[in-house]
Amino acid sequence: MEVDNIKAVYFVGIGGIGMSALARYFKVMGYEVAGYDRTSSPLTRKMSDEEGFDITYEDDETGIRAVFRDREHTLVVYTPAVPKENRILSFFRDNGYSLHKRAEVLGFLSRSKKALCIAGTHGKTTTTTMLAFLLSRSHVGCSAFLGGISSNFGTNLLIDKNSDYVVIEADEYDRSFLHLYPAIAVITAMDADHLDIYGTHEHLLMAFEEFALQTQGELFLRKGLELRKRQVTGHYAVGEKTDYYADCLRVDNGSYLFDYIGKDIEIKDLRLCFPGRVNVENATAAITVALHAGVTPEEIRKALPLFTGVARRFDMHVKSDRLIYIDDYAHHPREIEASLSSIRDMWPNKKLTVAFQPHLYSRTNDFYPDFAKSLNLADEVILLDIYPAREQPIPGVTSGLIAERLTVPFVQVSKDEFPEYVRKNVSEGIFMTMGAGDIDRFIPVFTEMFNYPAR
């Protein structure tokens, strides 16, 4: 990829969280940038209305401006989620443009920096964002390509031209993370997922093994994970003694206090105000990498309480004496289990109602017994239809497969019925919306619905 010759960059699928970060990077760096996406979203509207991006939602190659028709000086970045028959993508492909996946471009850009990469089937977005926040609040600094919108920064991109470090969320989907060669890496989880891509869990594990082999420096794994081909620097955990762990965990006025214990360091009484026990685990990983990158213990102590999270990751929208409303991106059984277990830790005596929108027919077909088992941690479940994303329906695969195995009270509703059902039937305790589809479109509805005066 001859970036020196590039003057314009076109993104096919610009609305994706990772694609939008790259688009923002190129725009900040002075390139002409435009893109296509199938539908409008809050993210693309912010990019076009507030940041000046040229974004189209019409799959029509005739609308491509002249500056992007200069093949020799235009880079086209695409996502595999866009169908091959897409007219705009076909135009670029058929006319001999330089086409690259987001991961290829990100891998190229990261080679000029010391890449700190967080991989894992779940936990990677929060851990990546925590790490970027800790570094950005320290004398070390960093650039960062995040897989979610940081609540602290209001964006998924950080640029620090004075820092040698770049923090990258290493996505296993479509084997994207195999384009990265980290200086330091973390693997948070290797549960079976994306079997529409990998076929079997074993093939997924093989990809993580390859990612580990590409890591040039320290490699940290959550305790319980093992690799066959690559020696690791150490494991991390919460409440279990290992190489790096959080000890003496306790809840204090709605936040967590804990001691960080490393191989040759202890940091006492750290405070994390972002809820969820799983996020103490994520923080332990982020602190470990930050220390290896040169962040001081005192810088970590000052920064950690200020971390406010990631959009759609245990995102609290309403907190009153009657009801707490939380939205979460969890779309894998282990993620759901971790989130609901965290709620039980924080609010053990409150009724927990969970609304879940399954994501992908293939994932539902692969894991419906595990989805039911995880959702049974709630007191009541509201099931929506499957969000198809890039997939066509699979005969016989519906959210009813999950419903049949639930042992707690449940109801199945359409998206049209969803808000009214909640209004009539949810009035106290914890209400949680979950899923990676478009269930987040109801956040403003429920936020307004539940923002009643305190009693």
Side-chain angles (χ1 to χ4, degrees), residues 75-227:
L75 169 67
V76 178
V77 186
Y78 74 98
T79 170
V82 174
K84 292 181 180 179
E85 60 271 20
N86 178 274
R87 290 178 59 180
I88 291 177
L89 183 61
S90 297
F91 168 81
F92 289 123
R93 183 176 58 242
D94 296 345
N95 285 280
Y97 280 72
S98 176
L99 269 67
H100 294 275
K101 295 180 183 178
R102 166 189 170 270
E104 294 178 85
V105 181
L106 194 57
F108 179 85
L109 294 176
S110 69
R111 287 172 196 157
S112 61
K113 299 273 189 177
K114 296 177 182 177
L116 309 177
C117 299
I118 312 298
T121 47
H122 52 83
K124 59 182 175 289
T125 299
T126 300
T127 306
T128 303
T129 309
M130 280 184 173
L131 175 59
F133 181 74
L134 293 177
L135 264 69
S136 70
R137 301 283 298 195
S138 77
H139 74 285
V140 177
C142 70
S143 297
F145 292 89
L146 307 175
I149 303 298
S150 162
S151 298
N152 290 98
F153 302 122
T155 183
N156 52 358
L157 172 70
L158 300 179
I159 296 179
D160 183 342
K161 296 180 180 179
N162 297 317
S163 176
D164 291 334
Y165 288 101
V166 58
V167 178
I168 299 174
E169 178 169 331
D171 189 1
E172 74 279 3
Y173 175 71
D174 199 38
R175 297 178 172 84
S176 294
F177 62 170
L178 298 184
H179 292 283
L180 301 172
Y181 292 84
I184 302 176
V186 171
I187 298 177
T188 62
M190 296 188 292
D191 295 317
D193 199 6
H194 303 302
L195 299 187
D196 56 325
I197 300 294
Y198 289 97
T200 67
H201 190 193
E202 182 62 28
H203 287 141
L204 174 67
L205 294 176
M206 289 169 60
F208 275 102
E209 292 273 7
E210 188 172 345
F211 171 77
L213 288 172
Q214 293 175 185
T215 300
Q216 300 166 13
E218 292 87 355
L219 173 64
F220 305 99
L221 270 63
R222 181 176 57 82
K223 187 175 181 181
L225 301 181
E226 299 294 339
L227 295 170

Side-chain angles (χ1 to χ4, degrees), residues 233-236 241-245 260-263:
T233 309
H235 291 83
Y236 66 92
K241 288 189 177 182
T242 188
D243 304 298
Y244 310 90
Y245 63 101
Y260 173 86
I261 312 296
K263 287 183 176 180

